[in-house]
């Protein structure tokens, strides 16, 4: 693990690191904020998954999470959204595919299979590295994210309910199998058999029997992607009668930007802290 930068913030340390990933066959960069409490005892960890076109840097620079994370004693890990590098396949004119658009899945179709193994990277390789390098209580993990990252957080939680105690999302893509800005990417990554897509679709996972205790979703009503890409009401319908708790908050005049995310970041951190103990 290489240290790219470290900066003191709110008594804790914001670091950016890189390592050679076997899952993605390239170097991966990620950010970790360590609160002051972690100098004396292991702390719970909260994974933040970013959205399309983003890297680890977007939430690190605009998410405004450090003050509250330091107060609550939360370690915040911010992975990248996809593999990077000159040898990694990409679609240069398509922001919904390739670099910056890994969708937190394991690709099965060429030329994407060698590098785009983001589900394995996020759920196996990176947690192993983080657990070795930082003072973390790995029995207390939560996950949240924005947009494509909200999709990733929800599907990862639904598939790993024994690992994660909490999950929330800002403007998530709740049904990417049928959303106009994710279905084409799913076909390229996973092939034309839509049955294979269901393991990476929150609504489909619930329909197929996956369960998680509860979710918090915040969504802006002025979000330009609301009607065709996000559609949180589909998840609200999917969880009816399942025992899955859902707090869905719709906010007037808020859009899809980090102005929206930073406004409700403290709410999400407190929500996770209550469930992580």
């Amino acid at each position: 693990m290489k240290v790219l930068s470290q900066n003191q913030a709110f008594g804790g340390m914001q670091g950016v690191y890189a390592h050679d990933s076997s899952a993605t066959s390239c170097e991966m960069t990620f950010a970790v904020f360590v609160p002051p409490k972690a100098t004396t005892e292991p702390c719970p960890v909260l994974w933040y998954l970013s959205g399309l076109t983003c890297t680890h840097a977007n939430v690190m620079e605009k998410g405004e999470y450090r003050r509250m994370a330091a107060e609550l004693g939360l370690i915040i890990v911010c992975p990248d959204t996809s593999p990077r590098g000159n040898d990694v396949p990409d679609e240069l004119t398509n922001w919904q595919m390739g670099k910056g658009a890994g969708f937190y899945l394991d690709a099965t179709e060429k030329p994407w299979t060698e590098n785009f193994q983001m589900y394995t990277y996020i759920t196996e390789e990176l947690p192993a590295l983080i657990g070795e390098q930082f003072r973390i209580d790995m029995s207390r993990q939560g996950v949240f994210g924005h947009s494509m990252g909200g999709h990733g957080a929800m599907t990862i939680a639904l598939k790993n309910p024994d690992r994660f105690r909490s999950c929330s999302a800002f403007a998530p893509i709740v049904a990417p199998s049928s959303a106009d800005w994710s279905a084409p990417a799913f076909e390229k990554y996973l092939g034309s058999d839509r049955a294979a897509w269901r393991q990476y679709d929150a609504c489909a996972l619930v329909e197929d029997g996956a369960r998680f205790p509860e979710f918090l979703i915040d969504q802006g009503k002025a979000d330009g992607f609301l009607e065709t890409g996000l559609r949180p009401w589909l998840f609200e319908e999917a969880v009816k009668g399942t025992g899955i708790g859902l707090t869905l908050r719709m906010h007037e005049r808020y859009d899809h930007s980090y102005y929206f995310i930073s406004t409700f970041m403290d709410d999400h951190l407190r929500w996770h802290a209550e469930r992580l103990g």
Side-chain angles (χ1 to χ4, degrees):
M1 189 178 77
K2 296 188 297 186
V3 178
L4 302 184
S5 65
Q6 288 183 322
N7 299 94
Q8 189 82 1
F10 297 99
M13 183 66 69
Q14 177 66 69
V16 179
Y17 309 92
H19 73 114
D20 292 326
S21 166
S22 59
T24 64
S25 300
C26 66
E27 185 176 81
M28 296 293 289
T29 302
F30 62 95
V32 181
F33 176 72
V34 179
K37 187 177 181 180
T39 60
T40 59
E41 61 184 270
C43 290
V45 59
L46 186 53
W47 300 82
Y48 179 88
L49 307 184
S50 291
L52 285 161
T53 75
C54 294
T55 70
H56 69 282
N58 294 75
V59 70
M60 185 181 76
E61 296 170 356
K62 298 183 287 188
E64 301 181 22
Y65 58 81
R66 278 173 288 270
R67 179 188 61 80
M68 185 55 64
E71 178 181 321
L72 297 172
L74 294 173
I75 292 172
I76 310 293
V77 180
C78 309
D80 202 348
T81 54
S82 71
R84 310 275 176 177
N86 294 331
D87 297 328
V88 173
D90 195 18
E91 292 190 0
L92 296 177
T93 60
N94 182 4
W95 60 275
Q96 298 165 337
M97 187 70 195
K99 296 177 187 177
F103 280 97
Y104 304 102
L105 51 75
D106 283 350
T108 57
E109 299 294 304
K110 293 182 179 180
W112 312 102
T113 50
E114 180 178 356
N115 303 107
F116 285 78
Q117 302 295 310
M118 286 300 294
Y119 178 80
T120 295
Y121 177 71
I122 295 294
T123 61
E124 297 180 17
E125 185 176 19
L126 188 56
L129 178 65
I130 294 291
E132 292 173 358
Q133 299 291 333
F134 298 90
R135 192 188 292 264
I136 291 178
D137 181 354
M138 296 298 279
S139 69
R140 294 187 290 163
Q141 297 188 61
V143 60
F144 69 148
H146 169 232
S147 194
M148 178 185 72
H151 136 75
M154 293 172 69
T155 56
I156 286 171
L158 283 164
K159 294 171 72 172
N160 299 274
D162 295 333
R163 179 183 300 185
F164 295 97
R165 293 192 187 184
S166 58
C167 180
S168 70
F170 302 97
I173 309 171
V174 301
S177 295
S178 58
D180 62 356
W181 60 338
S182 49
F186 270 40
E187 184 166 6
K188 291 176 183 178
Y189 284 136
L190 301 172
S192 58
D193 182 3
R194 288 180 174 247
W197 303 8
R198 297 181 69 84
Q199 62 181 312
Y200 301 113
D201 183 305
C203 288
L205 282 167
V206 171
E207 291 170 2
D208 293 343
R211 296 293 181 264
F212 197 76
E214 59 181 329
F215 294 90
L216 168 64
I217 295 177
D218 276 310
Q219 173 66 61
K221 289 186 176 182
D223 191 323
F225 302 112
L226 178 58
E227 296 293 332
T228 58
L230 307 174
R231 306 172 296 168
W233 49 84
L234 296 180
F235 192 71
E236 186 176 36
E237 186 64 28
V239 301
K240 286 182 178 178
T242 65
I244 297 174
L246 173 62
T247 301
L248 173 59
R249 307 191 302 184
M250 303 294 294
H251 303 281
E252 298 286 350
R253 297 186 297 279
Y254 281 96
D255 57 20
H256 201 67
S257 70
Y258 269 89
Y259 297 109
F260 158 63
I261 296 169
S262 62
T263 299
F264 299 102
M265 178 63 76
D266 282 2
D267 288 357
H268 282 244
L269 295 181
R270 292 191 187 98
W271 192 85
H272 284 277
E274 289 176 0
R275 286 149 184 82
L276 295 176

